[in-house]
């Protein structure tokens, strides 16, 4: 069983190069930050955000996220449900139907998600250029 992350300790201070500067601590439990930054979580939430009523069947989610396995989508949706970002609706039909929708809390995260993905779209060419330049420097000056 998953246990909740312990609360973050208060910010400590120490003497540094220029006086008393903070030592930064994570502002949220590590598991939440890890999950929200995961590519599958971002894609699943983005797809649900674009769907009518922010609601899709499992098969629609799977078909709309290129490269995701059934197992990874199942885990991603379980985590979203556990964190209160998505709801699972089960319909006992033949065959069974399962739909997922964003909760109010999940919808409240959409502006931040859009800001982050927008930043990535805007800066992606510069990121790729920086990677190429870094790799070239590394190849030209290998570490001892």
């Amino acid at each position: 069983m998953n246990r909740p992350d312990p609360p973050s300790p208060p910010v400590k201070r120490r003497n540094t190069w220029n006086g008393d500067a903070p030592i930064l601590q994570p502002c949220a439990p590590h598991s939440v930050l890890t999950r929200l930054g995961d590519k599958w979580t971002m894609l699943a939430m983005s797809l649900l955000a674009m769907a009518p009523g922010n609601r899709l069947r499992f098969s629609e989610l799977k078909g709309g996220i290129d490269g995701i396995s059934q197992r990874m989508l199942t885990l991603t949706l379980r985590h979203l449900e556990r964190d209160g970002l998505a709801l699972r609706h089960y319909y006992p039909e033949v065959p069974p139907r399962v739909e997922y929708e964003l909760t109010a809390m999940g919808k409240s995260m959409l502006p931040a998600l859009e800001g982050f993905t927008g930043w990535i779209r805007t800066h992606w060419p510069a990121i790729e250029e920086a990677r190429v330049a870094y790799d070239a420097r590394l190849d030209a000056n290998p570490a001892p």
Side-chain angles (χ1 to χ4, degrees), residues 23-103:
I23 299 172
L24 301 179
Q25 302 279 329
C27 62
H30 181 267
S31 63
V32 174
L33 293 172
T34 300
R35 184 158 310 118
L36 295 179
D38 174 75
K39 70 177 178 178
W40 300 123
T41 297
M42 294 178 76
L43 292 172
M45 289 191 70
S46 295
L47 194 57
L48 284 168
M50 292 185 275
N54 302 124
R55 190 172 182 150
L56 288 172
R57 293 178 73 159
F58 183 91
S59 59
E60 294 170 318
L61 281 159
K62 177 137 179 17
I65 302 174
D66 188 39
I68 194 167
S69 67
Q70 183 167 334
R71 169 97 173 119
M72 186 53 67
L73 180 57
T74 299
L75 288 173
T76 299
L77 293 169
R78 279 187 192 154
H79 290 308
L80 288 172
E81 187 179 10
R82 183 170 185 255
D83 289 341
L85 301 173
L87 287 175
R88 179 180 186 267
H89 300 279
Y90 174 79
Y91 300 93
E93 303 169 348
V94 178
R97 180 169 51 111
V98 178
E99 294 180 346
Y100 292 86
E101 74 173 310
L102 293 176
T103 63

